[in-house]
Amino acid sequence: MERHIPIRLGMVGGGAGALIGNVHRIAARLDGQYDLVAGALSSTAEKSAQSAAAVGIAADRSYGDFEEMARAEAARDDGIEAVAICTPNHLHFPAAKAFLAQGIHVICDKPMTVSLDQARELAELVRTSDALFVLTHNYSAYPQIRQARAMIERGDLGAVRLVQVEYAQDWLTEPSDSKQAEWRGDPAKAGAGGAIGDIGTHAFQLAHFVTGMAPDQIAADLSSFVPGRKLDDNANILMRYASGARGMLWASQVAPGTENGLKLRVYGDKGGLEWSHEVPETLWFTPFGQPAQKLRRNGPGTAPGLGRLSRTPTGHPEGYLEGFANIYTEAALAIRARQAGQAAPEGLAMPGVDDGLEGLFFIDACIRSNAQNAAFVKVMK
């Protein structure tokens, strides 16, 4: 990969004790495309300074809040060119808005915002800004997910008939007072969706990304199994597509024995595909009436152009961190092209503001359907 002067990166959130902050920092460093130089990493200036020192950010580039950071960095000749937003959901919108207003590119965790109104406003801000907005749906950057997408695009499955996607975890099976569980269970911080917002949006985006289809109608049965929990911890969702295809989505954080069970199955009139996050380097393709084919990352049958998503030889496992890194590196390529006044390189497929809007349309439809006893409702556009 061609080397450049690293993009100056800032970070909002992701301080001490925040798992996702370390994930973003590792992903940004993996291909040498970014240099983390500034941050508002925690909720107070003191905590931010402690977190900044721990990750090598100079004291004068540690800020007490993101608005101060956006103004100060935009005024510097060596100010940040992009910012990673790694906060709880309720801060995604105001933080992204602050940096976009300064012309600073934004790389944001999902879901994009906590409400559909915020998502629409942010989408309009992005469309009128010179800055890019990238959403870290990292699973869509796995090589075998890109392979599945390419195969469906070229017609290997024929007309898609069935889409099945699930994301199951067990970490909220019992009440929890952990920091991660606390904000995810608070509607003011997480938004209207619990499991549907946290992991359901990942499953929804993955199915949409691979098939190129978004459902026209959904019927959602949402449950909160743990007493006192304010947001859903399990969702069973039926999906109807305008093409006539049908789908099912299951998202659960109360399924004992599961760890990070993201799975996708797509079936057409000529064959089927199956992928599991826990075995991410294998994609199974079964042409109708023929033996199943085991397609391995960067192995025989890999679609043209996908080799750039792999860093190690086949058989040397890659996964979660590398998927995040692929998003960051595609964002870097797009940022450099924008800075040079050029079109983004062909083949980039990192999620953006439209994916974020789709995620909020999904959450909104789930809430409306559940309120109507799981009746089918139109997904808003």
Side-chain angles (χ1 to χ4, degrees):
M1 182 176 295
E2 184 180 356
R3 291 295 182 182
H4 301 271
I5 297 173
I7 292 168
R8 297 185 297 276
L9 179 69
M11 182 170 285
V12 176
L19 166 67
I20 203 64
N22 281 332
V23 170
H24 279 261
R25 285 187 284 273
I26 292 168
R29 289 198 304 266
L30 196 58
D31 292 330
Q33 295 289 331
Y34 298 87
D35 185 12
L36 181 62
V37 297
L41 301 181
S42 298
S43 57
T44 68
E46 181 181 6
K47 290 180 180 178
S48 292
Q50 293 171 352
S51 293
V55 298
I57 294 175
D60 66 334
R61 306 289 288 275
S62 176
Y63 299 92
D65 63 71
F66 59 78
E67 291 179 340
E68 175 195 2
M69 176 180 166
R71 292 191 300 268
E73 289 295 318
R76 296 179 65 118
D77 291 338
D78 64 347
I80 61 171
E81 300 163 275
V83 65
I85 299 175
C86 313
T87 65
N89 301 349
H90 69 296
L91 295 175
H92 291 179
F93 173 69
K97 184 177 180 179
F99 287 96
L100 288 170
Q102 299 293 344
I104 295 170
H105 305 289
V106 173
I107 302 170
C108 184
D109 253 350
K110 59 80 221 157
M112 187 167 73
T113 62
V114 295
S115 73
L116 187 51
D117 286 343
Q118 285 185 348
R120 285 179 166 143
E121 183 177 347
L122 185 56
E124 186 59 31
L125 289 172
V126 172
R127 291 181 183 122
T128 58
S129 173
D130 291 331
L132 294 168
F133 181 91
V134 175
L135 200 63
T136 55
H137 277 296
N138 59 302
Y139 302 113
S140 63
Y142 278 52
Q144 294 310 83
I145 285 297
R146 297 287 179 92
Q147 174 74 16
R149 185 186 196 213
M151 293 174 69
I152 290 174
E153 285 180 343
R154 72 189 184 200
D156 290 5
L157 270 63
V160 172
R161 291 173 169 172
L162 303 172
V163 181
Q164 294 183 322
V165 62
E166 65 183 60
Y167 201 157
Q169 301 173 332
D170 68 0
W171 72 289
L172 292 178
T173 297
E174 296 180 333
S176 173
D177 59 1
S178 73
K179 180 179 179 180
Q180 297 300 317
E182 184 275 326
W183 74 257
R184 283 176 170 83
D186 182 352
K189 294 180 179 179
I196 56 171
D198 190 24
I199 57 176
T201 50
H202 266 314
F204 181 82
Q205 189 270 343
L206 192 70
H208 182 192
F209 181 84
V210 170
T211 65
M213 305 187 312
D216 183 57
Q217 300 178 53
I218 66 171
D221 180 20
L222 309 182
S223 305
S224 298
F225 282 106
V226 173
R229 185 163 286 162
K230 297 178 181 178
L231 296 174
D232 62 280
D233 51 27
N234 188 86
N236 296 287
I237 301 165
L238 296 177
M239 302 184 290
R240 292 176 176 171
Y241 296 87
S243 66
R246 295 292 187 262
M248 293 183 288
L249 186 154
W250 173 46
S252 182
Q253 292 173 312
V254 293
T258 61
E259 295 177 338
N260 207 59
L262 177 60
K263 297 179 181 179
L264 176 68
R265 303 176 185 89
V266 183
Y267 303 98
D269 59 5
K270 294 182 180 179
L273 290 172
E274 182 172 346
W275 179 85
S276 168
H277 171 257
E278 294 180 349
V279 194
E281 304 215 321
T282 297
L283 175 67
W284 287 99
F285 172 47
T286 307
F288 179 63
Q290 299 181 35
Q293 300 176 17
K294 182 179 182 181
L295 304 178
R296 294 285 288 169
R297 175 186 58 81
N298 212 21
T302 296
L306 295 187
R308 65 179 176 81
L309 300 174
S310 294
R311 295 166 185 78
T312 63
T314 303
H316 295 71
E318 292 188 4
Y320 183 74
L321 295 172
E322 290 85 356
F324 256 103
N326 285 337
I327 296 289
Y328 266 90
T329 295
E330 289 193 328
L333 294 172
I335 288 170
R336 294 187 198 285
R338 181 68 62 92
Q339 291 172 335
Q342 300 171 353
E346 291 186 7
L348 301 188
M350 69 279 187
V353 70
D354 290 336
D355 298 86
L357 265 175
E358 289 285 352
L360 270 296
F361 290 147
F362 164 72
I363 294 171
D364 169 77
C366 287
I367 299 298
R368 288 189 287 114
S369 172
N370 189 67
Q372 299 175 45
N373 197 29
F376 273 99
V377 300
K378 289 280 290 183
V379 180
M380 297 177 65
K381 301 294 182 184

